[in-house]
């Protein structure tokens, strides 16, 4: 049921977007830095999608922004790929979302269950936050 709800929400918001907004974030972060981004108490719905350029189901997803909705992509690629493969992928596919490369593999046994206690760490995975709380 949870996957059906998440899928339905994402289908509402996802579509191809031909505009590239250069003001979006692209940077490497650890879990604490990511947590401060996705758990804001600002009334906005944050859809956090964990992905990688090498993950085929992940690369099939594109979306657009909405004033009450914020898509945040969390790349699981190797940090060395940020300025090459990840940046090129984002530009080539005209992705219009903030992208954070999560470079915190040493603490993955801590942050994976903190994101979702039922998450195995497999990608793609999507979590939804609103007002600092995980809602799905």
């Amino acid at each position: 049921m949870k996957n059906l709800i998440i899928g339905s929400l994402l289908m509402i918001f996802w579509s191809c977007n031909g505009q590239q907004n250069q003001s979006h974030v692209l940077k490497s972060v650890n879990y604490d830095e990511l947590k401060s981004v996705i758990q804001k108490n600002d009334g906005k719905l944050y859809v956090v999608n964990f992905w990688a350029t090498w993950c085929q189901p992940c690369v099939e997803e594109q979306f657009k922004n909405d004033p009450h909705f914020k898509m945040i992509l969390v790349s699981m690629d190797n940090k060395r790929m940020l300025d090459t493969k990840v940046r090129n992928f984002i530009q080539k596919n005209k992705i219009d979302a903030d992208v954070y490369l999560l470079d915190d593999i040493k603490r993955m046994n801590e942050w994976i269950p903190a994101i979702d206690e039922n998450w195995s760490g497999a990608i793609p995975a999507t979590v939804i936050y609103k007002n600092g709380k995980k809602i799905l």
Side-chain angles (χ1 to χ4, degrees):
M1 183 68 171
K2 177 181 170 184
N3 289 339
L4 179 60
I5 293 169
I6 291 172
S8 297
L9 282 170
L10 293 176
M11 291 303 291
I12 291 169
F13 294 111
W14 289 0
S15 71
C16 292
N17 186 351
Q19 298 177 355
Q20 178 70 23
N21 186 338
Q22 297 299 324
S23 67
H24 288 286
V25 174
L26 173 61
K27 70 182 208 178
S28 179
V29 295
N30 65 33
Y31 174 66
D32 296 323
E33 294 165 320
L34 177 64
K35 185 176 173 183
S36 72
V37 171
I38 64 179
Q39 293 185 358
K40 290 182 181 173
N41 191 11
D42 60 3
K44 194 174 281 193
L45 183 69
Y46 286 86
V47 177
V48 184
N49 181 262
F50 293 83
W51 68 289
T53 56
W54 47 262
C55 169
Q56 187 59 38
C58 303
V59 301
E60 296 171 359
E61 301 171 346
Q62 292 213 11
F63 30 81
K64 65 179 178 179
N65 283 329
D66 177 291
H68 306 291
F69 164 78
K70 178 85 172 163
M71 175 63 82
I72 297 175
L73 297 177
V74 181
S75 173
M76 306 299 281
D77 285 280
N78 185 293
K79 183 178 181 178
R80 292 175 289 146
M81 303 294 188
L82 179 66
D83 287 323
T84 57
K85 191 170 186 176
V86 175
R87 183 177 306 280
N88 292 340
F89 179 87
I90 290 165
Q91 290 172 344
K92 177 182 174 190
N93 291 286
K94 298 180 174 134
I95 292 176
D96 190 23
D98 289 349
V99 178
Y100 295 88
L101 187 143
L102 184 56
D103 183 35
D104 207 354
I105 195 164
K106 291 180 182 175
R107 296 191 315 157
M108 63 191 280
N109 290 332
E110 176 185 334
W111 58 258
I112 287 174
I115 296 290
D116 185 329
E117 63 187 27
N118 296 314
W119 182 34
S120 69
I123 56 173
T126 302
V127 183
I128 301 175
Y129 290 88
K130 186 164 187 179
N131 291 326
K133 306 259 188 228
K134 185 180 113 190
I135 59 173
L136 282 175

